[in-house]
Amino acid sequence: MKIGIKKTSIMLALTMAFFLSPRIAGAQGIPVYDNVNFISFVKQLLEAGKQTANIIKTVKFLKKQKENIEKVSAAIEKLKAVQELIRNNKRLYDTVQGDLRDILNSPHIRADEVERISTSFNAILDQATEDLEFINEILSSDHLKLTDGERMRAIRAHQQESKEMVTEIERKTERYRDIIAFREMQDKINNRKTNY
């Protein structure tokens, strides 16, 4: 009987050990590794690292392209501003060549007015010429040590001045035309023939 109990106890202990060993082993912190999953995880990490490196390269490339686009945009803006300055100065010179000649050749402009009119128009043309020379100096020389923003502000200021000069010369031209028209009408009224 003692042997039967011993056999039964051993059998019971072996059976318990056989069925409970994975639970006991897991409960006691014995690590279990799945090599396939671990290798797959490492591959995913390496791939994610490559993608991150590619994204960083793309971001650097896009940043560089943005800077290039901003430089080109600034150059185009300068070019447009300078073109407008040139157009405004051309309008000034055309007005002076055409309209001023007509005004000065009019018999209704007095001799003392010719000098005053010529002087006021020449002052505007001289200012326009100085502005163009200054803009040329700004764009072609680095000795002024201006940043692109400062150059653009200077160009815009002169662009605004040129618009004002065009407006002023057009206003003066219109005023002198009105004076001539008034004097022509006055001359017709004073020299009309009466039938009564």
Side-chain angles (χ1 to χ4, degrees):
M1 188 138 172
K2 282 189 174 186
I3 296 180
I5 294 178
K6 256 188 182 182
K7 272 187 174 181
T8 312
S9 320
I10 292 177
M11 281 294 243
L12 184 62
L14 283 174
T15 308
M16 285 178 64
F18 180 72
F19 285 114
L20 294 177
S21 66
R23 289 186 193 144
I24 293 172
Q28 293 182 4
I30 297 173
V32 177
Y33 292 106
D34 183 1
N35 289 339
V36 174
N37 283 340
F38 182 73
I39 292 172
S40 175
F41 177 69
V42 170
K43 285 181 181 178
Q44 288 175 351
L45 283 178
L46 290 174
E47 188 62 33
K50 288 178 187 176
Q51 289 175 353
T52 303
N54 287 339
I55 288 172
I56 290 172
K57 286 179 186 176
T58 303
V59 166
K60 287 179 181 177
F61 174 76
L62 291 174
K63 186 176 179 182
K64 179 88 170 138
Q65 295 311 311
K66 180 183 175 212
E67 290 171 1
N68 290 341
I69 288 171
E70 287 173 353
K71 286 178 185 177
V72 169
S73 177
I76 289 171
E77 190 175 346
K78 284 180 195 172
L79 178 63
K80 287 181 180 178
V82 170
Q83 284 175 336
E84 185 174 342
L85 272 168
I86 292 170
R87 274 194 308 272
N88 288 343
N89 283 346
K90 185 176 182 327
R91 284 175 63 192
L92 285 172
Y93 287 111
D94 290 346
T95 300
V96 170
Q97 285 180 348
D99 296 341
L100 182 60
R101 185 178 306 133
D102 293 342
I103 291 169
L104 295 178
N105 289 336
S106 172
H108 300 289
I109 295 293
R110 298 183 198 115
D112 61 318
E113 293 175 324
V114 170
E115 180 71 27
R116 192 173 63 235
I117 293 169
S118 296
T119 302
S120 70
F121 277 80
N122 283 336
I124 293 171
L125 289 178
D126 290 342
Q127 181 64 41
T129 303
E130 288 175 17
D131 285 351
L132 278 181
E133 289 171 359
F134 180 73
I135 294 300
N136 185 36
E137 184 73 18
I138 285 175
L139 294 175
S140 64
S141 174
D142 283 339
H143 78 276
L144 294 176
K145 304 292 184 206
L146 297 174
T147 65
D148 285 340
E150 291 170 335
R151 279 190 176 94
M152 198 60 218
R153 281 192 291 279
I155 290 170
R156 283 190 185 128
H158 285 283
Q159 181 183 14
Q160 184 61 35
E161 286 178 21
S162 74
K163 286 179 185 177
E164 291 169 4
M165 283 188 266
V166 168
T167 303
E168 183 180 356
I169 225 162
E170 287 173 348
R171 185 179 48 79
K172 285 185 177 196
T173 302
E174 189 62 35
R175 186 177 76 203
Y176 289 122
R177 287 190 185 284
D178 289 344
I179 290 171
I180 291 170
F182 175 75
R183 289 180 181 167
E184 283 177 355
M185 183 181 68
Q186 192 177 28
D187 189 41
K188 287 179 184 176
I189 291 172
N190 290 339
N191 295 324
R192 72 179 176 205
K193 295 181 182 178
T194 58
N195 292 331
Y196 51 93

